[in-house]
Structures are given as C-alpha cells and as structure tokens.
Amino acid sequence: MRIDKNFQLTYCTNIHPGFDWKTTFDSLKNHVPQIKQKVSPSEPFGLGLRLSNKASEELALSGNLDEFQQWLSENEVYVFTMNGFPYGNFHNERVKDDVHAPDWTTPERLIYTKRMFDQLAALLPEGNTGGISTSPVSYKYWHATEEATKSAFETGGKGMVEVAIHLHKIEKETGKYLHLDIEPEPDGMLENSDEVLQFFKDYLLPIGETMIGDTLGLDVEDAKKLIYRYLTVCYDICHFSLAYEEPKETFEKFEKAGIAIGKIQVSAALKILSNPSGNEEIWKALALFDEPTYLHQVTEKVGGKVKTYNDLPIVLEHKREFKELRAHFHVPIFLERFGALDSTQDHILKVMKYLKEHPVSKHLEIETYTWDVLPSALKKDLSESIIREIDWFVEKF
C-alpha cells in the first residue's frame, strides 16, 4: 500500500509457513485478502513475498506463475519486494544459524537469487521498482581463520556482482529496475554499517570493476555506478538497533559513501534495562522468549564497543550484571513494553522522523516473523496482528 507518493508499505510473508509453493500460495490466499480489505480497501496492496528455494523452483513450473499473476490481479495485490534471506524452511523446525545456509560461498545461493529476480521481474507492475533482501554473505562462525573469512568475502562478492550484471541485463531488456538488498545482522559476516562500507571498498568494488569490465566492457567509473545501482542495503531496524547505531548517523554514512538503501525492514528488538532494585523479574520475563527455532543474539555496549552473545541461553545461564542488553527477537512493533522488558520501538520512530525529510528508501516492509514462537500471552490472531502492525505504522507516520 502507498502511504504517500514516496513510500510503499507492506509486511513480509515470511510470517506464514511456506516450505513449498502450495503451502506458500495457500497461506497467501488464507490471509492476504482479509488484510488487504482492512488496510487498503480501495487501493492495490503491495506484498513483501517470501519464497523458499523449493517454492521458487515450483513457482517456475508450468502454469504456476500465470495462476499466481491471475490471483494477484483478481485480488488487487502486487509484489514489489521479496525476502531472499532464508533459503529453506523457516517455520516449525530448528532454523538457528542455518538461516544463512547455503550462503554466498555456494552456487546454490546464486542460482536461487537470480531465479527469484527473474520471477520478480515478471511479477513487478510497470512503473514500480523492486528489490530482494539477502544474507550478509555468511554466518561469521562458519569461517574460523582470517584466510577463510577473506575467501568467503571474495566468493560472496563475486556472486553478488554476478547478480548485479544480471539485474543490469534485466533492466535493459524490460525497463524494470531491481536491486539486491544486503541485510546486515548480528553474527552475520556483515553486522553494522562500518562492515558494509568495508565490504564495498575491499571486495564489491574491486571485484566488480574487473568482472563488469570483462563481461560488459565498461570502464572503472561505469562499473562502479553499476555496483552502486544494483547492490544496496536492507536496513533492518531491529538489526541496526542491536548494533547500537543511531538511524540518522547510519543513513548519512551510507549516503556519503554512495550506498543506497534498497529496503527498510520495520522491526523491533527486545531492550532489557537493568533495574536498580534487582533483576529477578527481568530474567523471568526474558526466559519466556527463549525458544529453540531461531537465533536470538544478545548485544551489549561495553567501553564503546558492541559485544555479542550468540544466543539468548548464554545470557540466561550466567545472568551477569548489566546496564542495558538488546536481544534479537522480532517483537510486535506496536508494543513499547513487554512487562518488565522494553523494545527498540524508539528506533522505528526515529527512522520515521528521518524518512519524512529524507526519503532514503521507497520500500518499507514490516517484518515480525516470530508470532508463532512468542510467549503465549502475546499470541493473537495472525491476520489481526498484521493489520494492527500496519495500522500502527500508518498512524505514527
């Protein structure tokens, strides 16, 4: 849905089960029409589509894409952004660090991403731009040595540049501008803005200058323009709040470096503020969010640097003294407090304020994918919860 001439707002359908295409399509048919009717009754509703690799493969089978396009048209729904981060199943089984697998060191990740861009190009209405968010190269702890880390960055950089070349060809053939949105997150190989800048400087630009020069015959300056045009950042508000980065500073840093924001994922993390009277209630409340499906990294700013604990049970086991912790758990954006715990909803409000004067991205996607693993007191009807999040954002914006 458009909230004014500059922005398209949606929610990410990774909230719904979708291991294969049938499950994905059934989920969309189940939820999207009633959500659209509530939040955008008289205007077309844009969708943030999540496809697993299997669902994407099956969407490409005879007749499925045509059937989906017909359903979209009949329901006044369109696709303008997609989530290409989780490759496999994302519900009802352990995900944890496997959310990165296969990573950008593998041909599988490249094939999956290019196929989805072909599908997005077919689905995207004329006059719209489109993007797909993706893993920040790999999971940090899979690469134990400096040499292994460098190799992963090089291989991942080559894959992403190959996608940029693919998107250049799509734009020349169809006139549709699509971009790959790299999504930093805790314990990813890219966690914060400085690491993104370093990745562009040390890998994407030098690799791109050579590959694009050889493939398209462009000189260095034109190759750089192509990289900056098609390779962008997915700014997940939850993730950047876990890095203790202020939105205004981060947006200005990316703008100065020439790096565009392809998509803003609207999400909130848990914020845990120490109680001078004692933290027993805080630890009890936090323990309710300890669940086995997803990684819930916890970050703490110590001596001006961010320290990351790679999953919530580590913090719960030791219960050390602290001033403030932030936990990677995508909580409902319309709630500022969860009993003894707070959220980073304030970062969402700061992003909104900045966007009104500096529309750094046209694509806004609410991404609370944890509804089925929330503490029972927070679980509500799924469609109503999505509607409530969209309504809250529109009202605050």
Side-chain angles (χ1 to χ4, degrees), residues 50-338:
R50 187 261 159 167
L51 294 178
S52 70
N53 180 64
K54 183 175 177 63
S56 175
E57 287 179 332
E58 293 175 351
L59 179 60
L61 297 178
S62 177
N64 284 345
L65 186 61
D66 289 341
E67 181 187 11
F68 184 42
Q69 288 175 310
Q70 181 66 28
W71 180 85
L72 290 169
S73 176
E74 289 173 356
N75 287 275
E76 295 187 293
V77 176
Y78 64 97
V79 176
F80 69 93
T81 186
M82 294 169 69
N83 187 332
F85 194 144
Y87 178 97
N89 193 18
F90 199 56
H91 290 273
N92 305 317
E93 65 180 55
R94 182 190 183 278
V95 177
K96 296 291 184 181
D97 56 321
D98 286 339
V99 71
H100 293 275
D103 63 14
W104 275 100
T105 69
T106 68
E108 289 85 356
R109 172 64 63 172
L110 176 61
I111 292 166
Y112 165 60
T113 305
K114 289 171 72 173
R115 185 196 317 117
M116 283 204 303
F117 270 118
D118 291 338
Q119 292 167 337
L120 180 56
L123 293 168
L124 186 71
E126 294 292 337
N128 281 258
T129 62
I132 298 178
S133 49
T134 192
S135 160
V137 183
S138 183
Y139 184 60
K140 182 177 289 184
Y141 294 107
W142 292 348
H143 311 280
T145 66
E146 187 177 333
E147 183 180 355
T149 299
K150 182 180 179 183
S151 176
F153 275 130
E154 287 177 346
T155 306
K158 288 175 182 176
M160 291 181 184
V161 169
E162 187 169 332
V163 170
I165 293 170
H166 188 64
L167 298 183
H168 175 69
K169 292 178 179 176
I170 286 176
E171 187 170 14
K172 285 190 72 174
E173 292 170 1
T174 68
K176 293 181 178 180
Y177 168 50
L178 309 176
H179 39 80
L180 180 67
D181 310 328
I182 306 165
E183 182 180 342
E185 76 161 26
D187 287 338
M189 289 187 68
L190 305 173
E191 295 190 74
N192 55 52
S193 58
D194 286 340
E195 290 178 356
V196 171
L197 265 60
Q198 201 71 31
F199 181 51
F200 270 81
K201 177 178 175 289
D202 292 348
Y203 295 96
L204 291 179
L205 290 171
I207 290 169
E209 288 165 11
T210 300
M211 285 181 62
I212 293 168
D214 291 346
T215 306
L216 301 177
L218 299 180
D219 62 24
V220 168
E221 285 307 309
D222 285 338
K224 284 181 179 178
K225 289 177 184 176
L226 191 147
I227 291 294
Y228 285 126
R229 179 166 179 77
Y230 298 110
L231 301 182
T232 67
V233 169
C234 172
Y235 182 98
D236 186 303
I237 300 174
C238 167
H239 297 173
F240 277 93
S241 72
L242 288 159
Y244 290 79
E245 295 197 24
E246 287 297 315
K248 181 177 185 292
E249 295 172 8
T250 301
F251 289 138
E252 289 176 353
K253 186 186 296 184
F254 282 140
E255 183 179 13
K256 184 178 179 181
I259 298 171
I261 308 294
K263 171 164 67 177
I264 293 175
Q265 284 185 326
V266 181
S267 54
L270 279 174
K271 183 191 293 183
I272 306 102
L273 301 173
S274 182
N275 187 338
S277 302
N279 290 324
E280 185 178 346
E281 289 303 312
I282 285 176
W283 295 124
K284 285 181 181 178
L286 191 57
L288 296 175
F289 289 86
D290 182 16
E291 60 79 33
T293 304
Y294 305 108
L295 273 179
H296 300 296
Q297 298 94 339
V298 179
T299 62
E300 181 179 19
K301 199 165 188 179
V302 182
K305 294 185 177 181
V306 178
K307 180 177 182 179
T308 302
Y309 306 91
N310 65 6
D311 209 352
L312 181 55
I314 297 169
V315 173
L316 291 172
E317 179 185 357
H318 297 289
K319 296 179 181 176
R320 295 192 177 100
E321 290 187 7
F322 68 94
K323 289 184 178 180
E324 178 180 344
L325 302 172
R326 296 179 183 180
H328 184 200
F329 200 115
H330 287 225
V331 291
I333 66 172
F334 50 75
L335 293 177
E336 185 179 3
R337 290 187 59 81
F338 301 87

